[in-house]
Amino acid sequence: MKPNQVMKEQLQQLFQSYITGLSYREIDTLAECYALPCTLTSADQVVVITSEELLDEEVGKMTSWIDDSGVSSICVVAASYLQQDENLAIAECEWKFIDQDENTISEFSTLFHIQVFEKRAKIIHVNSHDNQISVDLPHSIDIYKKFGQAHDD
């Protein structure tokens, strides 16, 4: 399906909110990016989230890891998407988490399944995985390439 401008703008808004939530460690901002129910998968776990409390807990784990790891900026190396229909898309983002000395703390990719609810894109499933198995989807998402905690980048 040929992408439409509305979906592209909805995805850009979603990922700007997501990056803002990660960068500022804003649990509420991050939680707003997800639909309920949703699922989170990684190499070592699958989490089915059915309540706001569980979502806040899982998002809190993400922000705690960022704090504990000394991440000072988050870089989106690449972001692309495939639109299935006017309410459903798949997006891939390659991330690099960097410390204050510009050392890479973590590099990984995420594959997002996204659905539009009442004109707002929300994540229904996210799979975090190694960059070596990432995919390039046909349409780019225009989001900030580097987003620092102090937002001076």
Side-chain angles (χ1 to χ4, degrees):
M1 173 180 203
K2 183 179 177 191
N4 67 40
Q5 189 62 31
V6 173
M7 174 65 81
K8 186 172 186 171
E9 290 170 5
Q10 290 168 331
L11 292 174
Q12 289 169 336
Q13 290 171 359
L14 170 66
F15 286 109
Q16 288 301 340
S17 293
Y18 196 82
I19 293 168
T20 297
L22 285 175
S23 296
Y24 283 120
R25 316 324 186 246
E26 295 175 353
I27 292 173
D28 291 342
T29 301
L30 273 172
E32 279 295 312
C33 295
Y34 290 89
L36 287 176
C38 62
T39 53
L40 313 175
T41 61
S42 64
D44 58 347
Q45 71 174 353
V46 175
V47 180
V48 177
I49 299 175
T50 57
S51 69
E52 290 182 16
E53 294 78 21
L54 185 54
L55 180 58
D56 287 349
E57 180 182 324
E58 290 301 319
V59 169
K61 289 177 186 177
M62 282 189 259
T63 59
S64 292
W65 179 87
I66 290 169
D67 281 338
D68 295 345
S69 299
V71 173
S72 63
S73 61
I74 298 170
C75 181
V76 178
V77 177
S80 57
Y81 74 100
L82 170 67
Q83 183 175 348
Q84 178 63 31
D85 61 33
E86 45 210 37
N87 294 311
L88 191 61
I90 296 172
E92 174 87 2
C93 291
E94 293 182 30
W95 303 89
K96 187 181 282 191
F97 287 29
I98 302 167
D99 69 13
Q100 65 184 5
D101 297 322
E102 296 293 318
N103 297 313
T104 299
I105 295 171
S106 181
E107 290 181 273
F108 61 96
S109 292
T110 48
L111 185 66
F112 296 92
H113 293 213
I114 299 163
Q115 188 167 358
V116 175
F117 298 92
E118 299 175 2
K119 299 184 180 183
R120 183 151 183 215
K122 293 201 174 235
I123 300 164
I124 56 175
H125 176 74
V126 61
N127 181 4
S128 298
H129 54 88
D130 190 275
N131 279 347
Q132 294 176 342
I133 57 172
S134 67
V135 296
D136 289 324
L137 299 171
H139 311 291
S140 66
I141 304 171
D142 302 321
I143 52 179
Y144 294 134
K145 297 300 179 193
K146 186 174 180 185
F147 212 75
Q149 186 173 359
H151 298 281
D152 56 4
D153 297 334

